[in-house]
Amino acid sequence: MSDRLAVLPQYLLPKKAITSFAGLVAGSAMGGVTTAIIRRFIRRYDVNMAEAANPEPASYPTFNEFFTRALKDGARPLADAHWVCPVDGAISQFGAIERDQIFQAKGHRYSTQALVGGDAALAAQFENGHFATLYLSPRDYHRIHMPCDGTLTRMIYVPGELFSVNPTTARGVPGLFARNERVVCIFNTAHGPLALVLVGATIVGSMATVWHGLVNPPRRPTVTEWHYEGQGIELKKGAEMGRFLLGSTVVMLWPQGPTQFNPDWAPARPIRLGEKMANSVS
């Protein structure tokens, strides 16, 4: 079966209604029912609870609190690199941005301008730059951390679809990551501007940042911006910056410049928070 045929049912499903219902269930404290759901999820996805700060499934009052669980101190040491991996998950794609085009999968590209919500001036800062698209599966740790030191300048909520973001859907849905709902976070760094784009998906009940809290719901009908220039919101490399309540994808953008990715990286390779992602080279 072709990938486009495999994703056809997603065009027909009431994705937003399914996602709203899943978010309601995941945020509800239902006692033993919640614990049973958590235990079944752990078995189904082989979740490693030994590295969780709180490894006891029955201690989480809601599924969301389990899903966004913290790790033990020291579980993810930071590599000596200019950019470290911001999440646990798997590599979707990474490499150079060709003018304003980001490679999604064979036969599919999308523009930086579409990804950031239509702001041409913002997108121009990443022309011929670099990107990394990182997929978080259900079994992964779902907090997102800073790949380098950064000072927050803007956050942009972009409404959109709620297609799945798994590899099959990435191959089958054109412009997927610039089509789904997303939260675009812009930082100033020692290496120039950095965009961390949190991409929503089916059953992703909400996305949150450490400075704002829940960004969605509500699901706003239009692009919405928050500006933070001069507020001194600084986050160090490895610090938590946000989280998914149910899993999705992060797209990173940074400007043109000599960049050397981790030579061990390849599409579909598993990744861990804090490992070497890339260095700026002279």
Side-chain angles (χ1 to χ4, degrees):
M1 181 185 294
S2 72
D3 294 320
R4 292 199 177 191
L5 187 59
V7 303
L8 181 60
Q10 292 192 47
Y11 286 90
L12 306 176
L13 287 171
K15 295 180 287 296
K16 291 187 179 180
I18 292 170
T19 299
S20 295
F21 177 75
L24 178 65
V25 172
S28 298
M30 299 179 291
V33 173
T34 294
T35 299
I37 292 172
I38 291 171
R39 291 189 186 279
R40 180 177 176 82
F41 186 93
I42 291 170
R43 292 193 301 270
R44 171 68 177 82
Y45 293 104
D46 192 25
V47 177
N48 182 7
M49 293 301 289
E51 62 186 13
N54 180 0
E56 176 46 57
S59 66
Y60 294 97
T62 69
F63 184 85
N64 276 341
E65 290 182 65
F66 153 73
F67 197 79
T68 58
R69 63 196 175 276
L71 296 175
K72 289 179 179 176
D73 289 343
R76 297 292 186 272
L78 300 183
D80 182 13
H82 292 139
W83 292 277
V84 298
C85 184
V87 295
D88 282 3
I91 299 165
S92 177
Q93 298 292 341
F94 68 99
I97 300 169
E98 296 183 5
R99 297 185 65 183
D100 68 339
Q101 294 293 300
I102 300 171
F103 181 69
Q104 176 176 301
K106 185 177 180 180
H108 298 309
R109 295 179 182 271
Y110 60 95
S111 74
T112 53
Q113 183 172 340
L115 180 69
V116 301
D119 187 325
L122 174 59
Q125 297 181 57
F126 304 106
E127 186 168 321
N128 294 316
H130 304 274
F131 79 98
T133 305
L134 311 175
Y135 169 66
L136 289 71
S137 74
R139 73 184 302 270
D140 292 317
Y141 169 68
H142 278 83
R143 299 190 186 188
I144 305 143
H145 293 248
M146 291 294 292
C148 60
D149 294 354
T151 301
L152 180 69
T153 60
R154 294 171 69 185
M155 182 172 73
I156 308 165
Y157 169 81
V158 187
E161 297 285 347
L162 289 171
F163 287 99
S164 171
V165 290
N166 61 34
T168 299
T169 312
R171 293 190 298 269
V173 176
L176 174 65
F177 303 118
R179 190 169 183 164
N180 270 14
E181 177 183 50
R182 53 209 179 275
V183 176
V184 182
C185 305
I186 306 297
F187 297 88
N188 282 335
T189 80
H191 314 288
L194 168 73
L196 281 172
V197 183
L198 285 56
V199 183
T202 311
I203 311 183
V204 177
S206 59
M207 293 175 277
T209 64
V210 296
W211 57 86
H212 182 91
L214 289 180
V215 180
N216 66 320
R219 289 190 152 84
R220 299 167 179 85
T222 58
V223 173
T224 305
E225 293 195 32
W226 294 263
H227 291 266
Y228 300 97
E229 294 91 342
Q231 295 189 27
I233 301 176
E234 299 180 4
L235 298 176
K236 294 295 185 182
K237 181 193 295 184
E240 182 186 347
M241 62 75 59
R243 59 184 69 177
F244 290 112
L245 279 74
L246 301 182
S248 195
T249 287
V250 172
V251 182
M252 285 180 54
L253 309 177
W254 63 99
Q256 183 177 14
T259 297
Q260 183 178 67
F261 280 94
N262 184 337
D264 294 332
W265 271 35
R269 176 186 180 272
I271 48 174
R272 281 164 67 92
L273 166 65
E275 73 175 56
K276 176 183 175 181
M277 185 173 71
N279 277 321
S280 177
V281 294
S282 58

